[in-house]
Amino acid sequence: MKKLNTKQKVVFAMGILGVLIGIYGKLNTWEYATYFPFFYSGSTMMWIAFLPQRKSCCHPFKRKTAQKS
């Protein structure tokens, strides 16, 4: 697992909090429309924290120029 910067740690912590609220709501028999947005957005935020930085972006479909010899 790579080191996360401060922004990524905050997003990851918010994601964990959202998932915990969703699980708490599920266990306390909240309605589906009440707990599911917390759970879904929290799990998405946890996933987003591990996406690569914009600075390290690669272009897999970008054409490479032919080198002249």
Side-chain angles (χ1 to χ4, degrees):
M1 193 160 96
K2 67 178 185 173
K3 291 185 177 181
L4 300 175
N5 63 25
T6 306
K7 293 176 187 175
Q8 289 172 316
K9 289 178 185 176
V10 169
V11 170
F12 188 70
M14 289 171 53
I16 290 174
L17 183 64
V19 167
L20 291 176
I21 291 172
I23 291 172
Y24 177 77
K26 173 73 173 174
L27 295 176
N28 283 331
T29 61
W30 291 358
E31 291 186 24
Y32 180 79
T34 306
Y35 75 84
F36 186 73
F38 287 106
F39 182 79
Y40 182 76
S41 60
S43 61
T44 303
M45 291 175 87
M46 289 172 53
W47 176 75
I48 286 173
F50 292 100
L51 288 176
Q53 297 290 326
R54 183 175 291 269
K55 296 176 186 174
S56 64
C57 182
C58 64
H59 301 285
F61 299 109
K62 186 176 180 181
R63 290 189 177 188
K64 296 180 181 177
T65 58
Q67 295 178 356
K68 295 181 183 179
S69 49

